[in-house]
Amino acid sequence: SVIWSPRSNISLYGHTAQVPMMAKVGVSIALGTDWTASGSINLLRELQCAADLNEKQFGNFFTARDLWQMVTFNAALATATNDVLGQIAVGKMGDLSIFIGKPDRQEHQAVVRAGVEDVALVLRSGLPMYGDATVLEALGATDAGKCEVLDVCGVSKRICAERETGKKLADLETAAVKPIYQLFGCGVPSKEPTCVPYRE
């Protein structure tokens, strides 16, 4: 397996690994964000980078399903956690993310081209952690359950930070060392490292 971090590769070195060639010879490609100093703010932005490279540099070698698999099953294989993660199956952890599709973004494209506002629900071991406020509230993740409301790009979400850490989100942000990136960005984050190769 190879864990591919294209944004960090490009911003630091001007280009990235020839992952289509690796895939042709049977290497399993996973996708990771590397670190925020030179990489993406989150995995969704890394997927956007990979999708843009795939379209503009790799002649659409990878399908949307291939890109989606890089952050699910292939990532579990690369980290040797595929016995518990990476698939929806009996006996697995039940870590699951659900995205909102749009007319131009169906099936795997709904994930590959998603923004942070498109994340409808995140479960860890079947427990609601984050997502649209109405969805989390229907699942019992309310203020009483230590899941606070958060506006994400104009969409009302809930995040269960206090339930997990014992601290509200604002307290965690205050205690953190000043981040390179904000908690999330709407659209393209400010000062995002480039994903456009500048070297052949």
Side-chain angles (χ1 to χ4, degrees), residues 3-9 11-12 30-49 70-71 75 181 192-193:
I3 300 177
W4 180 39
S5 302
R7 188 179 305 278
S8 188
N9 295 165
S11 65
L12 290 174
L31 191 68
T33 60
D34 201 13
W35 64 324
T36 54
S38 62
S40 298
I41 188 173
N42 57 42
L43 206 46
L44 292 178
R45 289 300 301 160
E46 198 73 14
L47 269 169
Q48 293 273 342
C49 176
M70 289 179 189
V71 298
Y181 279 135
E192 180 178 66

Side-chain angles (χ1 to χ4, degrees), residues 12-162:
L12 290 174
Y13 311 116
H15 219 295
T16 189
Q18 295 304 308
V19 287
M21 179 186 67
M22 294 178 191
K24 282 180 184 178
V25 296
V27 175
S28 174
I29 310 293
L31 191 68
T33 60
D34 201 13
W35 64 324
T36 54
S38 62
S40 298
I41 188 173
N42 57 42
L43 206 46
L44 292 178
R45 289 300 301 160
E46 198 73 14
L47 269 169
Q48 293 273 342
C49 176
D52 288 345
L53 285 169
N54 183 53
E55 181 183 320
K56 297 170 185 169
Q57 302 288 323
F58 303 149
N60 288 310
F61 177 85
F62 298 107
T63 65
R65 186 184 189 284
D66 293 334
L67 293 167
W68 166 82
Q69 191 164 323
M70 289 179 189
V71 298
T72 55
F73 185 69
N74 292 7
L77 281 176
T79 56
T81 56
N82 55 301
D83 58 331
V84 292
L85 298 174
Q87 293 179 312
I88 302 170
V90 174
K92 306 289 184 185
M93 292 294 295
D95 291 356
L96 190 65
S97 296
I98 298 173
F99 293 79
I100 296 170
K102 297 188 176 174
D104 62 334
R105 293 194 325 239
Q106 295 292 312
E107 299 178 356
H108 298 98
Q109 282 285 6
V111 178
V112 171
R113 291 294 185 178
V116 291
E117 67 278 9
D118 299 318
V119 181
L121 177 64
V122 176
L123 302 173
R124 190 179 75 223
S125 296
L127 187 66
M129 300 293 297
Y130 170 80
D132 287 355
T134 53
V135 174
L136 263 70
E137 288 159 11
L139 296 172
T142 61
D143 290 339
K146 299 186 177 179
C147 300
E148 61 194 288
V149 174
L150 175 68
D151 183 282
V152 176
C153 307
V155 179
S156 181
K157 305 280 187 184
R158 279 195 179 265
I159 186 167
C160 302
E162 187 179 5

